[in-house]
Amino acid sequence: GCGGCGGSASKPVVVDGSSTVYPISLAAQEAYTNSVEGTPRIIVDYHGTGGGFGRYAEGEVDIVDASRPAKPEEEEKARASGFEWTRYVVAHDGITVAVNPENAFVDALTVGQLRSLFEPGSAVDSWDDLDPSWPDEPISLYTPDDDSGTYEFFVKDALGMDGQREDVQPSADDNVLVSGIAGDAGAIGYFGFAYYAANRDKLRAVPIKADADAEPVSPSVETIYDGSYAPLSRPLFIYVKDAAMGRPEVADFVAYYLENVADLAEEAGYVSPTEDERAENLDGLSRAKGGTPAPAAAE
Amino acid sequence: MYRPRRARRRAFGALFAGLCLAATLSGVVVLVVLLGSVLAKALALEPNPPWYALGEQARELSSFLGRIATATNSPNPDLAGFKAGIVGSLWLLLLVAMIAIPVGVGAGLYLEEYAPPGRLRRTIQTNIANLAGVPSIVYGILGLVAFSRAFGFEAVALGKMLWAGALTLSLLVLPIVVITTQEALRAVPSSLRQAALALGATRWQVIRDHVLPSALPGILTGTILALSRAIGETAPLLMVGAANSILYPPAGPSDYYTALPVEIYNFATLPREEFRSVAAGGILILLAILMSMNAVAISLRTPTGRVLAGRAIAQLGRIGWTAGRAVRPSGRRPSPALDPAGGGPASDASPENQARGAEPR
Amino acid sequence: MSIEQQQRPALDASAPAPAAPAPAGDSVLAARGLSVWYGSTRALRDISIEIPRHRITALIGPSGCGKSTLLRCFNRMNDLIPSFRMEGGLEFDAEGISGAEVDPVTLRRRVGMVFQKPNPFPKTVYHNVSWGARINGYTGDMDELVERSLRRAALWDEVKGKLHRSGLDLSGGQQQRLCIARTLAVEPEVILMDEPCSALDPISTARVEDLMEDLKDDYTIVIVTHNMQQARRTSDMTACLMLDDPRGSGHRPGVLAEFSPTDVLFTTPKDPRTEAYITGRIG
Amino acid sequence: MSIEQQQRPALDASAPAPAAPAPAGDSVLAARGLSVWYGSTRALRDISIEIPRHRITALIGPSGCGKSTLLRCFNRMNDLIPSFRMEGGLEFDAEGISGAEVDPVTLRRRVGMVFQKPNPFPKTVYHNVSWGARINGYTGDMDELVERSLRRAALWDEVKGKLHRSGLDLSGGQQQRLCIARTLAVEPEVILMDEPCSALDPISTARVEDLMEDLKDDYTIVIVTHNMQQARRTSDMTACLMLDDPRGSGHRPGVLAEFSPTDVLFTTPKDPRTEAYITGRIG
Amino acid sequence: MTQLPQTTPVSPKLPPRRSWAGRSWFQGVQEVAVPPLIFLCACVTVLTTLGIIAVLGVETVRFFRASGVGLVEFLAGPSLNPKADPPRYGILPLFWGTFVIAFGSSLIALPVGLLSAIFLSEYAPRGLRSVLKPTLELLAGIPTIVYGYLALLLVTPVLKAVLEPAIRVEFYNALSGCVVVGIMIIPMVSSLSEDVLSAVPRGLREAAYGLGATKFEVATRVVLPAGLSGVIASFILAISRAVGETMAVLLAVGVKPQITLNPLRSMETMTAYIVNVMKGEAAVGSAEHLSLYAVGMALFVITLVMNIISGIILKHFREEYD
Ligand SMILES: Nc1ncnc2c1ncn2[C@@H]1O[C@H](COP(=O)(O)OP(=O)(O)OP(=O)(O)O)[C@@H](O)[C@H]1O
Ligand SMILES: Nc1ncnc2c1ncn2[C@@H]1O[C@H](COP(=O)(O)OP(=O)(O)OP(=O)(O)O)[C@@H](O)[C@H]1O
Ligand SMILES: [Mg+2]
Ligand SMILES: [Mg+2]
Ligand SMILES: O=P([O-])([O-])[O-]
């Protein structure tokens, strides 16, 4: 509730949700601010995908950053509170499994190894438990907050597990994970590609083998774009409240966001959406604006 | 019968004294190391001139600080800065001062000057002492429920407005303001109160005209220190919704906001080394604000500071006095005999005369 | 005490006529069966005394016998002490002043007080004198009032050039006279003085004593002093308080041992304790 | 002061023989041309005095004339005051004690001190007495030393049942005697007393005075007092300090006005200021 | 004192006083309005306490309702994982993390602070003291976020450089938290203890010196025992500050609720848990979100008890010499 906000100025555009998508929205916030006259009033926060949807349902948020599609119950809740939304794909991400650069022995991990490492109650606590040829040194795990979008996708969709072991260092803030892994020789963890891309010098991405015989694939713009970085690739979204599109400041910002989404995604270290997805975005945008074709569509 | 073992006792003494000195200095050394490492980190951003090129270093530092003080948040560390946070923190400072000082001084006045000794007063007093020890995060929780959500009354909920942060911080520093006010009031000699009472003054007249002006430098010292605590707080602001990224400074107390220490926290947790330097620069700015507040507070403790503060207060008092007096016609121009015969400094006398001259006849 | 000082008692003694005491008759302040407690310890027991108008009355007695307590009852200054409690009657101009319905603020304006330690406000001399008048709603010419009060306090000539300097810049004796001037400015009827000279040097003391003599025509003065010579020199009436005779180990309240014209009390004391006290054998 | 008390001066006067003062000759403490400053204000000017062994010497004089300062010079207690500075010589047993090479800790063991306000340690009575002996490496039987010291201080009978109760539980007079016992336990040669009775009631005062008389045979005692009667009653020699004559407005240091056998000083003072002081005309 | 007569009674012997108007209405308004106004100000402080208790109490009850956790399980359960199935809400690991930080920082701050206090009150010349004391107090004035930053930037790297590879130092570890929090609370001990030691009456010191004691003996055997209760109170206050410290431990120690004796590993304190839940994505009203209030309640009770104890001790100390 922001009943008394109107006092000094109009209501700002509030973006909240996934920490994975946060860098893209941050880039959009900055680029848009620089591209227009005056200072548009945009706020970008992150509280995880679930947190974003939760706050959306409370009416606190205009645009939700989401690193996974909304769950049926989230859809339900949003609809129940009368806040219809439109979904846009803003980037592709490959969840990157990273280790400390001092760790040279882990040349690749299979999905099976990942599963045995992260499964609930896993007994793996040193590297030789994963592969006997690796040294007997302790492992420490850094993972996103338990029901963040990244966690959800990695654990449930990619590895097909119900949950994850508990003796990990969890954080809703991926930067914390990066710092943790960069500072800990025995560390392994996972997070969005952008955080790896921004910290290539401090981390080493582990190539992933879909199964024991497959070729190891490293996360990169190409492998994510062409889908070969599987099963850890996924699309990233923003969910925009339809009612908020009636406010010109929101509509303008979303339009700018989607028109420049390719650049923004890359600037943030992700892979841009495909041509088709971008076209679909602009369609959705003009629908949400009430049938008027978006100006960019004409170009 | 006596074996005083003087040499041994003396050696012990010297050893112990050395230990005590070392302990004290270790605190100071730590302080220097802390500040030094922050400074070094802040300077690390730019291509480094040699450390002995002090002038160049200083120039670089000031241009760096100037840049981050005027730039807003950005994913690019070369462009990132704290403008929104600095303005937000200054807003918080202003609002907290406006809320906590009158309420805190009022409460201190009540407890010291009005409250009859007894259970009520003892209870409030104990309560304040305990409040001073409540962790700031608990105030954050209170602010979240009481101000941000207004116990669920949507209409008055403050959400993520500056007001919510300011009210929370005000409650946080209130005990400090009350306690220092009480101490300052206690330091006013009772002879002053008695002198005034014996002239047939009411309690309030005594307080307004004598006790408060005498205590004011002490009260100011305490409140400035309290405010400097407020400006450095982070945890409660995270609870009451200071934003992660906001590129425009708040336009007013009903706006969304972020604060300098919250931005520092954000930058400090960003992984890229360059953001650490930005955070260090933010810390330097925060420390600079704090140190200057402390300097004012300390200078108020010195005799000169007291005199200056006293002067300023006297001026304010006269303005108030004139306002109070304007409702009743009285007085007339001063007779020449009463003008200072070259004795008193003109600054002391003239406002008094002007004030009197300006009165309705 | 200078040589000049030492001659003063003789001077007084040679001219006692104008200060002829008027024992009872027209009394301005009176205590009737007054007892005072601080918490559970009794400080005064059953004091009855009438202070004559336009006279100087001295209160003497050993330390702790309750002189200050009695004095401060007269303008209800003791109200400020939480543990203070009293019984018995107090009258001012034949009206009771100890009741809850009496406004002590008004009373204090009419019964002024000068303290042991000079306590000017940390403000200008002018402000010191004018403040009391101002808060009491004085509508006359303030400058004139300040000058008049300072003149009466025999201070005008010394401070007229520095009216706008701080009162704290004056010497101790000047400060004490400033406090007297401040009290005069609200035009009280009685002035209570609690050891007003004990912090002063002999010359300043002499000044203040002369001043009291001057003021006597218009004001009633009650002075507490430890100095026998001063009591003799200045007062018309003297009350000697004593600690009650000890019974057991408890605290001893003060009682009124004797109240007589000053020259009577000092030459032919009726009470043996008074005699022991004024001859310096006890206390 | 009780009736009993009031008779004591007479007693003293009737039996002055055993206390016949021994003026110079065997002096234990001496000041030679001593001047003392606190910061830039001078507290003592050019004091020369010799304290006779096994006698009681009283220091009297108006407030602020430097009695305490002089006393505290004798065991270098003033070293603790940062702004303190002195010139001139101080001797103990004919050896200089003012030099940097002299260990004040050792000196203070030999020149003990009793203070105005009784200041027992917040520990047991036993502890209070034994502590000083213990830190000074006493090797004998501690229980015996404690008993002996308390007996000498005329306190044994009153506290023997509560040796392990806190020293703070004793009455003021008992506390002061406890402090004396504590001092005796380290077996000093001189005992300096700074107004030791001013916080005590008359009965306790009498006890302490009796005790001093007792101790005189074995110790040299220097006592500061404001009470003329006490000086007369107890001391063999009296030194009267005075504030230097005022010149201008500055601070006035203390000087030694007169140093004579007590009965001489009180009956036929040579110095007019001394006379004025002891007859109560100034101060 | 609220109702003031507007006219002054006139004594028959004195000339009528035309010049005295009595007090103005403005004055009267002040007289009437001020006391209730400042009484309200004092009430704000009471309301704050009531507010804290009410908020924490109500939401804590809601937490227990929503989660179905029992009080014993909550306080003594050895495992904390709101996202597990079923969720586990034992805050013992948080107690442990908080205890480790409080204990470790005390090991640094109490001796250093006490020795500093003794130096300042017994040894330092006045001038030096007037410089050193405020300098030390600056340590307490530095925002806690700065300490957290320094733990990451300075302390942990130093620990790593010294200990590794022999002993593994986790990036987030309790020891670096102890170090920075310890430094932060030094001035609480040194400043408060110094006040207390300086307040030991001079007479006691002089008595000891008069018996031939050295400075060391006076300081340690007379002054320190005399001020001991005050010193202990300052210890408790400092520890309670360490217990309530948030940002520094959040940054330094991490958010891993585990009970381990190894101080080089990450842990989680109660304060860090609160912020982490708040920053995390638990939906408002969910049991996980409500758990932050329950933890807040536990934290509040702990610090309150410590403050009350130190208050009682300090009061006793003051009475001893009054
Ligand atoms: N505020 C107070 N609270 C408790 N007891 C008090 C208070 N003021 C005075 N007393 C006690 O009341 C008694 C009388 O005190 P009072 O000050 O009136 O004596 P006095 O004759 O003026 O002494 P002095 O000559 O020392 O000024 C004393 O025993 C004193 O201790
Ligand atoms: N620690 C100090 N610092 C500065 N000045 C001091 C100090 N102690 C004493 N003085 C000054 O030295 C002078 C002599 O003081 P001292 O205490 O020796 O006087 P005294 O004769 O013992 O007085 P009293 O009878 O009041 O005890 C006084 O003017 C006093 O103000
Ligand atoms: Mg008195
Ligand atoms: Mg003295
Ligand atoms: O912040 P998430 O993208 O992990 O939900």
Side-chain angles (χ1 to χ4, degrees), chain A residues 11 26 59 65 77 80-81 88 99-101 103 125-126 144 150 233 254 270 292 299:
Chain A
K11 213 179 148 198
L26 208 55
D65 289 340
K77 219 170 156 192
S81 23
Y88 307 96
V99 294
N100 188 287
N103 175 338
D125 51 18
S126 65
T150 309
S233 287
V254 173
Y270 291 105
T292 11
E299 281 172 20

Side-chain angles (χ1 to χ4, degrees), chain D residues 38 41 43 62-69 81 83 195 226 251, chain E residues 202:
Chain D
Y38 291 111
T41 62
S63 192
C65 69
K67 303 180 293 296
S68 302
T69 302
I81 297 167
S83 65
E195 305 186 34
H226 267 135
H251 183 83
Chain E
R202 220 177 66 162

Side-chain angles (χ1 to χ4, degrees), chain E residues 182-238:
Chain E
I183 292 169
M184 187 179 346
I185 61 176
I186 285 175
M188 290 212 74
V189 179
S190 68
S191 226
L192 272 173
S193 297
E194 201 268 337
D195 290 345
V196 162
L197 295 182
S198 305
V200 169
R202 220 177 66 162
L204 274 191
R205 288 190 179 83
E206 294 194 331
Y209 282 122
L211 293 174
T214 62
K215 204 160 201 168
F216 167 69
E217 287 155 349
V218 173
T220 57
R221 317 253 298 259
V222 175
V223 177
L224 189 57
L228 195 63
S229 50
V231 169
I232 290 173
S234 83
F235 283 2
I236 297 176
L237 280 183

Side-chain angles (χ1 to χ4, degrees), chain A residues 17-21 46-50 65-68 144-145 147-152 172 174 234 236, chain E residues 281:
Chain A
S18 163
S19 56
T20 314
V21 185
Y46 58 84
H47 285 93
T49 304
D65 289 340
S67 57
R68 57 168 168 78
D145 201 314
D147 58 11
S148 72
T150 309
Y151 169 96
E152 199 92 348
D174 300 73
R234 58 165 172 176
L236 302 177
Chain E
E281 48 178 69

Side-chain angles (χ1 to χ4, degrees), chain B residues 145-166:
Chain B
V145 178
F147 303 135
S148 288
R149 302 214 191 107
F151 300 103
F153 295 106
E154 290 280 322
V156 288
L158 295 174
K160 298 180 173 182
M161 284 187 221
L162 243 167
W163 274 123

Side-chain angles (χ1 to χ4, degrees), chain A residues 8-193:
Chain A
S8 59
S10 65
K11 213 179 148 198
V13 182
V14 181
V15 186
D16 200 348
S18 163
S19 56
T20 314
V21 185
Y22 176 71
I24 310 176
S25 291
L26 208 55
Q29 179 194 27
E30 195 205 18
Y32 177 66
T33 301
N34 291 337
S35 76
V36 297
E37 292 287 306
T39 45
R41 300 155 56 75
I42 298 163
I43 287 154
V44 185
D45 258 342
Y46 58 84
H47 285 93
T49 304
F53 282 129
R55 278 151 221 257
Y56 180 91
E58 300 276 320
E60 293 174 12
V61 171
D62 301 311
I63 300 172
V64 181
D65 289 340
S67 57
R68 57 168 168 78
K71 296 181 203 165
E73 62 265 29
E74 285 163 349
E75 293 269 8
E76 189 49 48
K77 219 170 156 192
R79 206 168 299 121
S81 23
F83 301 135
E84 299 283 346
W85 60 33
T86 307
R87 185 178 91 179
Y88 307 96
V89 176
V90 290
H92 286 272
D93 180 24
I95 291 182
T96 303
V97 177
V99 294
N100 188 287
E102 277 178 39
N103 175 338
F105 47 84
V106 180
D107 43 5
L109 284 166
T110 64
V111 170
Q113 278 173 318
L114 285 177
R115 211 173 275 130
S116 67
L117 177 60
F118 284 102
E119 73 194 352
S122 165
V124 176
D125 51 18
S126 65
W127 288 105
D128 65 343
D129 293 340
L130 278 180
D131 185 329
S133 67
W134 294 343
D136 178 15
E137 275 168 23
I139 298 184
S140 44
L141 299 161
Y142 293 80
T143 76
D145 201 314
D146 306 38
D147 58 11
S148 72
T150 309
Y151 169 96
E152 199 92 348
F153 179 80
F154 180 82
V155 171
K156 302 201 169 139
D157 299 355
L159 299 185
M161 306 187 298
D162 288 338
Q164 158 180 291
R165 63 193 288 175
E166 281 163 22
D167 52 345
V168 299
Q169 174 83 55
S171 175
D173 184 344
D174 300 73
N175 297 305
V176 172
L177 303 177
V178 171
S179 306
I181 296 169
D184 183 345
I188 185 168
Y190 61 87
F191 37 74
F193 179 71

Side-chain angles (χ1 to χ4, degrees), chain D:
Chain D
M1 200 179 284
S2 67
I3 303 295
E4 175 201 11
Q5 271 300 299
Q6 293 173 36
Q7 294 166 342
R8 298 192 73 256
L11 228 165
D12 247 3
S14 67
D26 183 19
S27 82
V28 56
L29 283 169
R32 306 205 191 281
L34 180 74
S35 289
V36 169
W37 288 259
Y38 291 111
S40 59
T41 62
R42 194 177 201 163
L44 285 178
R45 187 163 65 77
D46 203 16
I47 307 281
S48 292
I49 189 172
E50 299 202 343
I51 309 287
R53 193 184 299 277
H54 294 185
R55 293 280 178 280
I56 300 180
T57 303
L59 298 181
I60 62 171
S63 192
C65 69
K67 303 180 293 296
S68 302
T69 302
L70 176 60
L71 198 70
R72 293 160 57 93
C73 280
F74 285 132
N75 70 346
R76 292 196 42 188
M77 212 63 171
N78 284 324
D79 284 19
L80 305 173
I81 297 167
S83 65
F84 171 83
R85 192 164 54 81
M86 58 163 278
E87 268 175 22
L90 278 170
E91 284 170 20
F92 174 50
D93 271 349
E95 280 172 43
I97 53 170
S98 51
E101 74 291 350
V102 176
D103 179 18
V105 170
T106 319
L107 175 68
R108 288 186 200 127
R109 221 218 81 195
R110 299 177 62 195
V111 183
M113 190 153 192
V114 175
F115 301 83
Q116 178 167 10
K117 207 173 141 260
N119 53 357
F121 299 123
K123 306 214 160 124
T124 63
V125 170
Y126 186 93
H127 212 106
N128 262 285
V129 180
S130 62
W131 190 79
R134 208 165 46 208
I135 58 160
N136 281 298
Y138 180 71
T139 53
D141 180 345
M142 191 61 84
D143 293 347
E144 194 241 67
L145 176 71
V146 169
E147 177 172 345
R148 180 154 40 95
S149 307
L150 285 169
R151 275 193 197 284
R152 286 235 64 173
L155 190 60
W156 177 252
D157 293 331
E158 290 162 59
V159 301
K160 66 181 170 212
K162 37 187 175 180
L163 284 181
H164 295 284
R165 295 266 291 282
S166 168
L168 294 172
D169 293 347
L170 303 181
S171 78
Q174 289 174 327
Q175 288 188 6
Q176 194 62 300
R177 275 178 288 149
L178 178 60
C179 293
I180 294 175
R182 179 173 71 180
T183 306
L184 297 179
V186 297
E187 297 180 2
E189 292 153 50
V190 180
I191 303 178
L192 309 175
M193 299 183 161
D194 193 353
E195 305 186 34
C197 302
S198 68
L200 306 186
D201 60 294
I203 294 162
S204 304
T205 302
R207 283 260 163 73
V208 173
E209 286 177 9
D210 290 344
L211 172 58
M212 283 163 57
E213 190 64 32
D214 270 6
L215 294 175
K216 198 167 79 172
D217 299 337
D218 300 325
Y219 301 88
T220 305
I221 296 178
V222 188
I223 177 173
V224 169
T225 178
H226 267 135
N227 186 329
M228 299 302 118
Q229 326 300 339
Q230 186 173 52
R232 282 184 93 154
R233 283 194 297 264
T234 57
S235 72
D236 306 311
M237 298 288 293
T238 299
C240 183
L241 275 68
M242 275 293 142
L243 292 167
D244 203 5
D245 284 326
R247 285 161 311 186
S249 62
H251 183 83
R252 297 151 64 192
V255 293
L256 181 62
E258 188 163 356
F259 181 43
S260 321
T262 299
D263 43 13
V264 174
L265 187 134
F266 277 97
T267 49
T268 53
K270 283 179 295 223
D271 192 291
R273 291 170 301 178
T274 308
E275 187 182 354
Y277 180 68
I278 60 178
T279 56
R281 268 179 296 130
I282 58 173

